[in-house]
Amino acid sequence: MPALMWFRRDLRLTDHPALLEAMAAGLPVVTTTNVAEGLPDSRGLVRSADDAEGLARETLALLADPAQAEAMAERARAFAREHFSWDALALELERVV
């Protein structure tokens, strides 16, 4: 299983690329809810909680189930590539210009 990435409350998807970089690298991500703001939560891209106990619980759940962590990481990687790769960003730029 790849290394787990954990993000602080002050790093938001829209404010910092670290979350997307971890997703694009195929790392399972555990973060706070507001960091993952803007992600479609129904796709199971990251695990989130808003307190230390919840973050620990989510982290331990992923560590206990490597297959689930791998599947989540692969969904996150696909999402990042589909929406934030250079090709995807170039298509979006062409659309708006």
Side-chain angles (χ1 to χ4, degrees):
M1 175 174 72
L4 226 64
M5 291 297 291
W6 190 82
F7 287 92
R8 300 183 328 248
R9 180 178 306 263
D10 59 335
L11 299 178
R12 290 177 179 245
L13 176 65
T14 56
D15 296 339
H16 198 279
L19 179 60
L20 288 174
E21 289 169 357
M23 291 169 62
L27 298 173
V29 175
V30 177
T31 187
T32 57
T33 304
N34 70 336
V35 171
E37 194 174 273
L39 288 175
D41 52 6
S42 62
R43 293 184 58 184
L45 301 173
V46 300
R47 303 283 294 259
S48 62
D50 288 317
D51 59 19
E53 289 176 6
L55 291 168
R57 183 177 54 252
E58 295 297 335
T59 300
L60 291 173
L62 286 176
L63 291 172
D65 190 347
Q68 181 183 19
E70 292 278 346
M72 185 183 80
E74 187 52 43
R75 285 190 302 273
R77 181 191 331 237
F79 174 84
R81 287 185 178 162
E82 179 182 344
H83 296 283
F84 297 98
S85 68
W86 285 115
D87 290 338
L89 295 173
L91 289 173
E92 180 65 19
L93 182 61
E94 285 177 355
R95 187 183 70 74
V96 296
V97 173

